[in-house]
């Protein structure tokens, strides 16, 4: 799965060296970033003109905090490849005005002409970014409240202490994600099987945020077999 997504990114960047990528953090993309590091070391991908926008960041955490998503990206990708730091975009979790910071982010995405390829992971509850299941969702980048299960699954970044996980985060909205020209959703492990099935075969509902991807015309799911057994559709 990780290799397939890494090759997808490599092909895009070969065809469009100034590609704009939307990137996730979490356990799912760890091996994707390892593959990208190897492809870079082997001279197979050049990030010098690539622009990146990360999906989300904890609110109230400085970017250099070891548990920040920015630190995660530095560790797993940024410090190993030739991305130009001026083209790396992150939400600032310390901005005193989240609304202003979210508007700045949307404007920065628009200024570079939008995201070419948005890579996503998926929560066991079907969240994408920090768009948690709810009766209604916000379209644009916004301040989001994290569900207890999402805080639990982020506890590993905070030495296993759920209480240390911030209660809020800044996140691209589903509208931001749907405006990307192409979306790749990655899922691995049997824990994701129900969410994957609901994403593909369930109704389009804000109670399963990933199901909103059904409204996009260029979405690919790249799954590990363990995440796919409940799908009617056969995997390629
Ligand atoms: C991370 C993000 C989240 C994760 C999701 C899956 O930037 O936006 O939506 O993609 O929580 O997390 P893992 O990969 O840890 O299972």
């Amino acid at each position: 799965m990780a290799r397939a997504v890494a090759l997808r990114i490599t092909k895009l960047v070969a065809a469009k060296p100034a590609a704009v990528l939307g990137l996730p953090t979490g356990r799912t993309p760890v091996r994707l970033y390892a593959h990208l590091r190897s492809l870079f070391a082997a001279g197979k991908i050049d990030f010098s003109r690539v622009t990146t926008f990360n999906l989300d960041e904890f609110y109230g955490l400085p970017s250099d905090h070891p548990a920040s998503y920015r630190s995660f990206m530095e560790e797993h990708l940024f410090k190993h490849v030739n991305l130009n730091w001026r083209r790396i975009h992150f939400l600032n979790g310390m901005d005193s005005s989240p609304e202003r910071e979210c508007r700045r982010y949307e404007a920065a995405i628009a200024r570079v002409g939008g995201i070419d390829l948005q890579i996503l992971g998926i929560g066991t509850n079907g969240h994408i970014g920090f768009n948690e299941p709810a009766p209604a969702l916000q379209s644009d980048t916004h301040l989001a409240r994290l569900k207890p299960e999402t805080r639990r699954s982020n506890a590993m970044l905070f030495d296993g202490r759920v209480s240390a996980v911030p209660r809020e985060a800044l996140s691209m909205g589903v509208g931001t994600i749907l405006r990307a020209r192409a979306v790749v959703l990655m899922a691995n492990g049997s824990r994701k099987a129900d969410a994957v099935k609901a994403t593909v075969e369930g109704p389009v509902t804000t109670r399963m945020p990933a199901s909103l991807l059904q409204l996009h015309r260029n979405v690919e799911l790249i799954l590990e077999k363990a995440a796919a057994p409940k799908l009617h559709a056969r995997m390629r």
Side-chain angles (χ1 to χ4, degrees):
M1 176 190 70
R3 188 159 8 115
V5 182
L7 291 177
R8 177 88 154 67
I9 293 173
T10 305
K11 265 196 205 144
L12 169 67
V13 173
K16 185 176 182 184
V20 181
L21 303 176
L23 298 175
T25 55
R27 272 163 289 229
T28 313
V30 165
R31 291 176 70 187
L32 162 64
Y33 297 139
H35 277 289
L36 288 176
R37 295 196 303 267
S38 312
L39 287 163
F40 173 72
K44 301 236 163 72
I45 183 165
D46 173 12
F47 289 96
S48 61
R49 294 177 59 201
V50 169
T51 296
T52 66
F53 284 90
N54 263 80
L55 262 175
D56 40 24
E57 180 60 285
F58 292 114
Y59 190 62
L61 215 59
S63 63
D64 60 356
H65 188 286
S68 74
Y69 282 175
R70 173 73 195 224
S71 297
F72 173 97
M73 290 304 299
E74 291 291 341
E75 198 52 43
H76 289 274
L77 187 69
F78 296 163
K79 72 177 186 199
H80 305 279
V81 300
N82 67 338
L83 273 161
N84 181 326
W85 64 268
R86 275 186 246 101
R87 284 193 271 274
I88 292 175
H89 298 269
F90 241 91
L91 281 153
N92 174 9
M94 291 304 280
D95 199 300
S96 57
S97 164
E99 295 77 20
R100 182 184 56 202
E101 172 59 2
C102 293
R103 276 198 306 275
R104 178 196 69 80
Y105 211 57
E106 288 287 342
I109 295 172
R111 203 173 315 117
V112 298
I115 293 171
D116 290 305
L117 176 61
Q118 176 67 56
I119 311 292
L120 296 174
I122 181 171
T124 48
N125 64 5
H127 73 217
I128 47 177
F130 276 126
N131 297 281
E132 299 277 30
L137 291 177
Q138 291 194 47
S139 176
D140 288 349
T141 302
H142 60 282
L143 181 67
R145 227 182 145 67
L146 308 189
K147 294 255 185 203
E149 63 262 35
T150 301
R151 293 182 67 223
R152 273 197 298 277
S153 60
N154 276 278
M156 85 286 181
L157 293 169
F158 296 84
D159 301 323
R161 286 178 305 129
V162 184
S163 61
V165 181
R167 292 173 189 278
E168 293 174 312
L170 299 175
S171 175
M172 286 186 192
V174 274
T176 324
I177 293 168
L178 291 174
R179 282 192 288 279
R181 280 182 275 284
V183 178
V184 166
L185 183 138
M186 309 170 71
N188 56 359
S190 53
R191 288 169 57 246
K192 303 290 173 73
D194 287 323
V196 165
K197 180 174 172 61
T199 297
V200 180
E201 294 169 4
V204 175
T205 164
T206 59
R207 302 203 181 264
M208 178 54 60
S211 70
L212 290 157
L213 295 173
Q214 291 178 33
L215 303 175
H216 195 288
R217 57 196 305 177
N218 188 1
V219 176
E220 208 175 324
L221 270 73
I222 301 189
L223 309 172
E224 218 181 52
K225 280 221 169 82
K230 301 196 173 174
L231 289 179
H232 279 300
R234 277 270 174 74
M235 282 193 36
R236 262 201 285 147

